[in-house]
Amino acid sequence: MRKPSAERVLGAISGRKRSSGAMAPFVLPITEVLVVADCWQTAADEAVIHRAIETAAETVNAGLGEAELAVMLTDDAGIRTLNSNWRGVDKPTNVLSFPALQPTGPSGADDAPRMLGDIAIAYETTRKEADDEQKPFDHHLSHLAVHGFLHLIGYDHENDDDAEVMETLEQEILAQLGIPDPYADRERMD
């Protein structure tokens, strides 16, 4: 794997942080959490998701202004259907992100918040991964919420350079939440 320069990674992060200079007040995105599977522990899981997304939004400050997103807490059967229908992959996964299409022309509802998109998280896969990796469930859930949010605002991991930038951001955001580096035990290829 070709590593990007530290300047590129840090530049991508620092270029998105709030500056201490005069700027418009920072507005957190409105996050609606929809629980569609009974296996979720509603209040506790929703609080974890809100905290993770708020921390991610503050860290990247991507000029979101007033924006909205939805997080659907589903089960493996629900996410398997989404994965099959939208990605052609007939198996469950932990998280899927669906960025909203942004209007290109003038819109009549200028005062309406911008829709960032939707995130779906599957309980059973998330629980199994957390157990297999011996991590607290809320740490893994936070990581998946952050990961999904970063996809909604344009980050991806389709190539090594982009993956490095996205993972570095995830590590920084999770550290702010007091969550250890989720990639620390992974063997990196040089």
Side-chain angles (χ1 to χ4, degrees):
M1 171 166 115
R2 195 183 106 220
K3 286 188 168 186
S5 70
E7 293 159 347
R8 181 174 185 271
V9 172
L10 294 175
I13 293 169
S14 64
R16 295 212 181 259
K17 280 190 172 180
R18 288 187 289 179
S19 70
S20 58
M23 51 187 303
F26 182 77
V27 179
L28 291 171
I30 299 164
T31 303
E32 183 176 357
V33 178
L34 309 165
V35 181
V36 299
D38 292 335
C39 44
W40 287 94
Q41 313 226 346
T42 312
D45 295 333
E46 287 185 40
V48 166
I49 289 166
H50 282 286
R51 185 169 173 247
I53 289 175
E54 288 169 4
T55 302
E58 289 173 338
T59 301
V60 300
N61 190 15
L64 299 175
E66 289 191 23
E68 293 182 359
L69 66 129
V71 179
M72 180 176 68
L73 301 179
T74 188
D75 54 18
D76 277 4
I79 210 158
R80 179 180 185 161
T81 299
L82 290 170
N83 208 17
S84 179
N85 290 345
W86 292 98
R87 296 179 62 227
V89 179
D90 190 22
K91 67 178 187 174
T93 189
N94 52 16
V95 63
L96 291 172
S97 297
F98 301 95
L101 294 174
Q102 299 304 315
T104 56
S107 83
D110 289 335
D111 59 343
R114 182 177 120 209
M115 186 61 182
L116 294 177
D118 302 315
I119 300 168
I121 303 174
Y123 181 82
E124 296 96 335
T125 298
T126 301
R127 168 61 66 193
K128 181 178 181 339
E129 289 172 348
D131 291 347
D132 288 351
E133 297 171 19
Q134 300 177 353
K135 298 178 181 180
F137 180 77
D138 62 326
H139 287 190
H140 193 47
L141 178 58
S142 294
H143 182 200
L144 296 179
V146 166
H147 185 88
F149 175 77
L150 291 176
H151 276 305
L152 293 185
I153 62 170
Y155 288 90
D156 68 45
H157 42 83
E158 295 298 315
N159 64 55
D160 292 344
D161 288 348
D162 291 344
E164 185 74 20
V165 169
M166 189 169 176
E167 288 173 11
T168 301
L169 267 173
E170 289 172 358
Q171 292 162 331
E172 178 183 345
I173 294 162
L174 294 172
Q176 291 178 43
L177 291 165
I179 298 172
D181 179 358
Y183 302 111
D185 293 337
R186 184 181 68 193
E187 192 175 307
R188 296 202 184 242
M189 299 173 65
D190 289 329

